[in-house]
């Protein structure tokens, strides 16, 4: 009986679906490059983005606005 549960675990993990579309990934990649070049600005203040997580959030936000497959924000 233990072997059948182990088989189920291995098959379920291999058939998982993507959380984000490839197009959303490209949007995040573009924002990351802009941040590394020092060209990414945030919000009304227009301050330079230095945080990797903030650059990712901006990329995902842009992808959502463009209608790409991205899960809704938490909270």
């Amino acid at each position: 009986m233990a072997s059948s549960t182990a088989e189920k675990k291995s098959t379920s993990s291999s058939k998982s679906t993507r959380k984000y579309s490839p197009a959303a990934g490209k949007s995040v990649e573009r924002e990351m490059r802009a941040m590394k070049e020092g060209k990414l600005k945030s919000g009304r203040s227009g301050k330079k983005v230095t945080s990797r997580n903030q650059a990712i959030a901006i990329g995902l936000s842009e992808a959502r606005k463009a209608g790409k497959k991205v899960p809704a924000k938490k909270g």
Side-chain angles (χ1 to χ4, degrees):
M1 183 122 332
S3 64
S4 65
T5 55
E7 288 175 22
K8 287 181 183 178
K9 287 181 182 177
S10 65
T11 56
S12 65
S13 63
S14 64
K15 291 186 177 182
S16 63
T17 57
R18 289 182 65 100
K19 276 190 179 180
Y20 305 104
S21 67
K26 288 188 187 217
S27 176
V28 171
E29 184 179 351
R30 185 176 59 245
E31 298 303 327
M32 287 294 288
R33 287 181 195 273
M35 182 201 65
K36 287 181 179 180
E37 292 172 5
K39 295 179 181 176
L40 185 61
K41 309 250 172 154
S42 146
R44 291 182 183 177
S45 65
K47 289 188 176 180
K48 207 183 300 184
V49 172
T50 56
S51 166
R52 180 177 185 268
N53 285 344
Q54 194 171 5
I56 291 169
I58 291 169
L60 291 176
S61 176
E62 301 259 331
R64 274 190 200 95
K65 287 178 188 173
K68 309 293 184 222
K69 181 190 171 203
V70 182
K73 283 198 270 188
K74 292 180 183 176

